[in-house]
Amino acid sequence: MGVRRGHRIVVVSGVLCMVAWLVGCATPKSFQLKYQPGFSSLPSTCAAAVRPAESAVQAYADELYDAGADFEHTDGNDSDQFSDLNCVMKYSDPILRQPVAPHRVAMSRSFAISMSLDRSPRSVGTTTSRLAAQATTTGNNARPQPLPGIGEDAIVWVEEFERRVTRVGVRFRIGNLQVEVETFGRDWSGVPQTFPVANSPELREDLRAGAQSIAEAIAQQARSAYPTTVYDYESPTRVTSRTRTTTSTTVTPSAEKIWDSCAVPESDLAAADIRIQQKSSGCSWRGEWFQILAPGVAANYESTLFELGHQTYARPTPLTIGDRSAVMLHWETTDSFCVLAFDVLADPQAPREPRVIIFEASKDKGHTRDALCTELVRVATVIVGLLPPAARAFPR
């Protein structure tokens, strides 16, 4: 009888203790949640983030690689709950020169790296949603595939855009860190009078290998060098949030007036047997049976010739006029026009951002396009010395 009574007392005491714990007693150690450790900070700059992958970047960019190149775009934010860093780098040699390489050559190689850090506490045993499900937002024709060996739950996908650069993306996660690496570029085909190739099996392989090797290097560095901590709901949080001081953006230069065709001396025009025809909204020059539109603005070289050019121009052909490289193009839909494009250096501090000045000649009836192009080259030979300096040539 006494034994039963004692047993009953023990049971009641246990129940009371459990109830007391549920309503606010100190949590027994055996019932405390355990939290996963996580990374506590990202690299402070894009240069620091990419440095561990420098060898992979150099192999990816190949002949275009420039150790002193600046990032086209960098930005990042850092708060109590979230931190991110975004970086874009481009290596490019868009100037078509003689002789045309008789084989495939990289014209541009770019990469973008996006890092995000989630400081939310995660208990041991919990997992995040699969990255493959998130890849449905990446764009046209993206079919994510598993990519073992890089972080957790890594995926790779290829995006193909009509008349645009093919992109390859790799996304992976390590704990509370998520990283995405994108690569994109163009190739010279090695075939005369053709535009750069934006989509080919060889280019896609280069882009995929580049994205994967850069991602592997960043993942390895994160595991070994990024600082970690354990986040839980009782952890002290920072009082303020801040924007990274490395935030900067380089915008692709828009068209602006960097050369005044109306200021060409009349003696030079007379030497070319042409005259100024119009001055109201810019200058055009008139020959005996042709007209040359000589705009006083200069736009981005690569995008003007090789993006919009797919819809307007045909058969790009390099030639040398005086001591300057130029590209001759024809209109795709008519034989009444001939075009000459020169690269110019608009900003000495940005030698890898060449602009383009275009001279567009149109003919009267009764003459051939070849004759028109011959006249355009003759006129350009006279006034080429008046153009702004050429952009820096990139060695191949």
Side-chain angles (χ1 to χ4, degrees):
M1 190 75 167
V3 173
R4 291 182 182 175
R5 188 173 173 184
H7 178 69
R8 192 177 297 123
I9 291 172
V10 171
V11 172
V12 171
S13 299
V15 171
L16 291 175
C17 183
M18 180 66 72
V19 172
W21 170 61
L22 290 173
V23 297
C25 289
T27 305
K29 290 185 178 180
S30 59
F31 287 98
Q32 286 182 344
L33 290 176
K34 291 184 171 62
Y35 292 94
Q36 300 179 21
F39 296 107
S40 57
S41 64
L42 296 175
S44 59
T45 65
C46 285
V50 174
R51 192 173 297 120
E54 199 65 32
S55 295
V57 170
Q58 186 170 358
Y60 162 65
D62 197 21
E63 296 177 352
L64 300 175
Y65 177 76
D66 178 6
D70 294 324
F71 287 91
E72 277 200 327
H73 175 83
T74 69
D75 68 58
N77 294 282
D78 195 10
S79 69
D80 295 340
Q81 291 78 33
F82 185 79
S83 183
D84 69 356
L85 181 65
N86 304 288
C87 315
V88 179
M89 173 65 78
K90 181 176 183 178
Y91 304 102
S92 179
D93 182 6
I95 300 169
L96 185 61
R97 294 184 297 271
Q98 293 177 306
V100 176
H103 51 81
R104 185 174 72 99
V105 176
M107 190 202 82
S108 66
R109 291 291 185 269
S110 301
F111 68 87
I113 296 176
S114 299
M115 297 181 169
S116 60
L117 200 63
D118 184 355
R119 296 189 174 92
S120 302
R122 290 193 179 96
S123 58
V124 171
T126 60
T127 59
T128 58
S129 59
R130 294 188 61 80
L131 297 183
Q134 303 174 25
T136 56
T137 63
T138 56
N140 298 337
N141 304 316
R143 297 180 179 86
Q145 301 293 328
L147 187 62
I150 302 180
E152 306 164 23
D153 202 21
I155 54 173
V156 60
W157 69 90
V158 178
E159 295 179 276
E160 298 175 4
F161 299 92
E162 184 180 2
R163 293 179 176 174
R164 288 184 59 190
V165 176
T166 298
R167 293 175 182 256
V168 174
V170 170
R171 185 181 295 164
F172 67 89
R173 178 177 53 80
I174 305 176
N176 64 330
L177 170 68
Q178 182 170 302
V179 179
E180 183 169 300
V181 178
E182 281 191 314
T183 52
F184 37 103
R186 290 188 177 94
D187 283 344
W188 298 113
S189 68
V191 179
Q193 298 189 344
T194 60
F195 283 96
V197 177
N199 187 359
S200 71
E202 296 81 8
L203 176 59
R204 289 195 296 272
E205 180 57 34
D206 284 354
L207 299 181
R208 178 173 177 134
Q212 185 168 336
S213 60
I214 293 170
E216 287 173 345
I218 291 175
Q220 183 177 1
Q221 173 75 0
R223 285 194 180 94
S224 62
Y226 286 14
T228 61
T229 190
V230 175
Y231 296 104
D232 61 43
Y233 289 103
E234 297 178 356
S235 299
T237 58
R238 290 168 294 169
V239 176
T240 60
S241 62
R242 64 184 184 277
T243 299
R244 295 180 184 275
T245 56
T246 57
T247 298
S248 65
T249 303
T250 301
V251 180
T252 300
S254 58
E256 61 182 51
K257 190 169 184 176
I258 65 169
W259 180 70
D260 187 0
S261 58
C262 297
V264 175
E266 299 218 1
S267 57
D268 291 285
L269 297 179
D273 197 24
I274 55 175
R275 63 186 185 278
I276 291 179
Q277 183 178 18
Q278 181 181 345
K279 279 192 174 182
S280 58
S281 59
C283 287
S284 62
W285 301 333
R286 184 73 191 179
E288 182 181 353
W289 53 269
F290 62 91
Q291 175 178 286
I292 298 176
L293 180 63
V297 297
N300 178 267
Y301 187 98
E302 182 177 335
S303 61
T304 301
L305 295 188
F306 304 130
E307 289 180 11
L308 300 179
H310 279 285
Q311 301 173 6
T312 305
Y313 301 128
R315 300 188 297 283
T317 304
L319 66 161
T320 301
I321 297 180
D323 62 349
R324 296 288 292 265
S325 294
V327 178
M328 179 177 288
L329 307 110
H330 304 302
W331 274 37
E332 196 170 40
T333 55
T334 176
D335 65 356
S336 296
F337 293 86
C338 186
V339 175
L340 270 182
F342 291 89
D343 64 281
V344 294
L345 179 61
D347 182 359
Q349 301 302 315
R352 289 191 172 271
E353 291 292 348
R355 311 277 186 100
V356 62
I357 290 181
I358 289 179
F359 296 92
E360 185 175 88
S362 56
K363 64 184 179 66
D364 297 336
K365 293 181 179 180
H367 295 84
T368 66
R369 181 170 56 196
D370 288 344
L372 177 65
C373 291
T374 298
E375 286 298 288
L376 180 57
V377 169
R378 182 184 63 79
V379 172
T381 301
V382 175
I383 58 92
V384 68
L386 304 175
L387 295 178
R392 181 183 301 171
F394 309 113
R396 284 185 177 148

